[in-house]
Amino acid sequence: MALIVHKYGGTSMGSTERIANVARRVAKWARAGHQMVVVPSAMSGETNRLLGLAKELTPAKPGADYLRELDMLAATGEQASSALLAIALQAEGMPAVSYAGWQVPIRTSSAYTKARIDSIDDQRVRGDLNAGKVVIITGFQGVDEDSNITTLGRGGSDTSAVAVAAALKADECLIYTDVDGVYTTDPRVVPEARRLQTVSFEEMLEMASLGSKVLQIRSVEFAGKYKVPMRVLSSFTPWDIDINEEAKSGTLITFEEDEQMEQAVVSGIAFNRDEAKISVLGVPDKPGIAFHILGAVADANIEVDVIIQNVSKDGKTDFSFTVHRNDYARTIDLLKDKVLPALGAADVLGDAKICKVSIVGIGMRSHVGVASKMFRVLSEEGINIQMISTSEIKTSVVIDEKYMELAVRALHRAFDLDQVVSV
Ligand code: ADP
Ligand code: ASP
Ligand code: MG
């Protein structure tokens, strides 16, 4: 008997019919003798619907208490889907109980809309499991130390599931979604994308942080920190497929490099349309400039991603960086109001129509020329590279958004990703 955590995404929970299917699948696992904890997302579209309602009522500059209410609101989506799943399981003759985050409780920081999980109390859940019940715990949400409801950021149910699995020392955390595993790139953009049988934890971490939305990055961080065995698989296989076959399907996130079956230099391509580029032109080329610009940005709680500083001409240089698109206008205003006058910089330019395309692979550590191949492929497609950033196992470029699909497809082909053999 094992303790297994299942997580079902919004599409998998998208209708009562699908919820009934999830219930049948979970009941099958429970009847096979496993202790089952299930973490559902809200039904597809529900979180967007709720946030849309809030937007209709929100003034241009919302007050300080606004984010608290957004979390209070958005968390209802998961509460509804969890209760529906418990009802569906009970209808299957399977004892089940659902809990909202605060009932477990899942304790988080107070950073509304992007709270971090601090601890999970496993007592109540263990009691129910020992009494033979399936336990359903809402994804995406928790409670802060003042009993305020918090949420974990979009896609946060993945993180809830892995954190619950870590707290319960579960044998495995299975992330059921609308694709049958982690692919070499988003299969909705590149139809030739191939499912990976295994992907290393480090590669998954890079892919998630570089834009592959199949897993929320923090869920991968949790899996790495607590060594939670984790698999991504489809919720659209027939619910009554053989459980042993199901248990081996999808993509396993591995922690040992030699568990990795594929030997490709590049394992995947990630892309991200969520960033915007900002350039501060004509800043004096002297110590303290980067700190002056980025310090002001950091003080405003704005995260910076790719950064470049050009060589100086006549003692002046240009300084560019990217921020999340949601922070774009605020960053420009901040630079114009506070930083430019003090620096004597000439101007601030911005471009929100950019994207970041990244190649990822642990094989890049031991191979030279991978980045230059990437640049050659892009140049052959006539795509101008605006910024570059590298680490041991990834190379990212910032390019014009309109070339995103072209770039991803060309790179996918050039690095033979459509040829990866699934073993
Ligand atoms: P869920 O609602 O189950 O959490 P998400 O929409 O958050 O599902 O994540 C699944 C989606 O992630 C897929 O439908 C796919 O379009 C997208 N995706 C992006 N990159 C990848 C990738 N490398 N492999 C698989 N899916 C990916
Ligand atoms: N329902 C939340 C969202 O749409 C959390 C999740 O689906 O993981 O972001
Ligand atoms: Mg998701």
Side-chain angles (χ1 to χ4, degrees):
M1 184 176 72
L3 198 165
I4 309 279
V5 175
H6 279 191
K7 180 261 171 178
Y8 291 90
T11 317
S12 313
M13 297 289 292
S15 63
T16 47
E17 199 183 323
R18 287 189 179 164
I19 292 174
N21 264 324
V22 168
R24 291 186 194 111
R25 188 183 298 276
V26 172
K28 174 183 78 180
W29 280 75
R31 289 190 178 116
H34 300 306
Q35 292 193 313
M36 296 300 301
V37 177
V38 187
V39 177
S41 294
M43 294 171 76
S44 56
E46 180 62 3
T47 310
N48 285 345
R49 187 186 74 84
L50 293 165
L51 297 176
L53 293 176
K55 209 165 177 194
E56 283 176 30
L57 297 169
T58 308
K61 285 207 189 307
D65 297 332
Y66 170 63
L67 293 181
R68 179 190 184 280
E69 302 312 322
L70 270 192
D71 279 3
M72 185 77 181
L73 174 70
T76 63
E78 271 69 13
Q79 190 171 328
S81 61
S82 295
L84 288 169
L85 181 57
I87 291 167
L89 276 159
Q90 291 164 5
E92 278 295 306
M94 181 54 64
V97 57
S98 70
Y99 293 115
W102 64 269
Q103 291 173 305
V104 175
I106 296 177
R107 297 247 172 246
T108 72
S109 67
S110 301
Y112 299 120
T113 74
K114 48 181 175 196
R116 284 177 172 268
I117 297 178
D118 292 330
S119 66
I120 298 181
D121 187 342
D122 65 349
Q123 225 182 336
R124 199 167 182 177
V125 178
R126 282 202 192 277
D128 289 317
L129 290 174
N130 292 336
K133 289 184 188 171
V134 172
V135 181
I136 299 155
I137 301 176
T138 50
F140 185 49
Q141 60 178 273
V143 62
D144 77 359
E145 57 181 8
D146 296 321
S147 303
N148 299 299
I149 289 178
T150 54
T151 68
L152 309 178
R154 299 308 303 267
S157 299
D158 298 331
T159 303
S160 307
V162 180
V164 163
L168 292 167
K169 302 192 176 53
D171 294 282
E172 195 163 16
C173 182
L174 302 181
I175 307 279
Y176 286 86
T177 184
D178 55 6
V179 282
D180 63 356
V182 177
Y183 277 65
T184 46
T185 192
D186 189 337
R188 294 187 205 285
V189 171
V190 181
E192 296 77 27
R194 301 282 303 250
R195 179 173 62 83
L196 298 163
Q197 187 96 9
T198 60
V199 62
S200 76
F201 152 73
E202 285 168 286
E203 287 169 325
M204 197 60 242
L205 198 61
E206 285 285 6
M207 281 172 68
S209 80
L210 295 167
S212 297
K213 294 197 169 107
V214 61
L215 288 175
Q216 197 197 38
I217 178 164
R218 266 188 246 155
S219 70
V220 189
E221 286 169 359
F222 257 101
K225 188 161 171 199
Y226 298 100
K227 296 284 177 291
V228 179
M230 184 179 183
R231 186 179 285 277
V232 177
L233 68 172
S234 171
S235 69
F236 291 134
T237 53
W239 69 266
D240 55 354
I241 88 171
D242 178 73
I243 194 166
N244 296 316
E245 194 187 315
E246 184 174 332
K248 283 187 282 179
S249 66
T251 301
L252 179 71
I253 319 290
T254 61
F255 297 102
E256 307 290 333
E257 269 181 39
D258 52 276
E259 280 179 50
Q260 178 89 1
M261 301 307 245
E262 281 98 347
Q263 293 299 331
V265 180
V266 172
S267 298
I269 300 179
F271 50 86
N272 171 349
R273 264 176 283 218
D274 297 338
E275 292 184 26
K277 186 175 86 167
I278 292 173
S279 301
V280 188
L281 306 181
V283 291
D285 191 11
K286 60 177 195 197
I289 290 299
F291 170 65
H292 199 93
I293 297 173
L294 297 181
V297 174
D299 287 346
N301 238 330
I302 296 169
E303 268 181 53
V304 168
D305 184 22
V306 188
I307 304 169
I308 53 168
Q309 180 173 340
N310 293 330
V311 289
S312 65
K313 214 171 36 192
D314 317 323
K316 300 262 180 190
T317 181
D318 299 339
F319 189 89
S320 301
F321 57 96
T322 63
V323 294
H324 196 281
R325 260 186 220 187
N326 293 344
D327 293 322
Y328 175 57
R330 202 154 65 91
T331 312
I332 298 254
D333 288 350
L334 171 96
L335 292 172
K336 283 193 171 148
D337 294 349
K338 303 226 172 91
V339 180
L340 276 203
L343 275 184
D347 204 359
V348 177
L349 292 182
D351 184 357
K353 290 198 165 17
I354 54 141
C355 71
K356 189 172 72 177
V357 175
S358 311
I359 54 173
V360 176
I362 42 179
M364 287 167 74
R365 273 194 199 126
S366 45
H367 286 76
V368 288
V370 184
S372 69
K373 178 167 174 181
M374 178 185 200
F375 306 150
R376 174 170 58 72
V377 171
L378 294 174
S379 82
E380 281 166 6
E381 296 294 338
I383 299 171
N384 185 37
I385 300 170
Q386 303 179 18
M387 299 168 109
I388 298 171
S389 124
T390 63
S391 77
E392 220 187 0
I393 64 163
K394 72 117 205 276
T395 301
S396 302
V397 295
V398 170
I399 59 174
D400 189 323
E401 178 186 63
K402 70 173 181 250
Y403 297 125
M404 190 190 83
E405 289 190 12
L406 177 65
V408 174
R409 290 214 174 102
L411 291 167
H412 197 267
R413 222 177 13 251
F415 285 103
D416 293 332
L417 290 178
D418 23 11
Q419 322 269 322
V420 173
V421 184
S422 269
V423 268

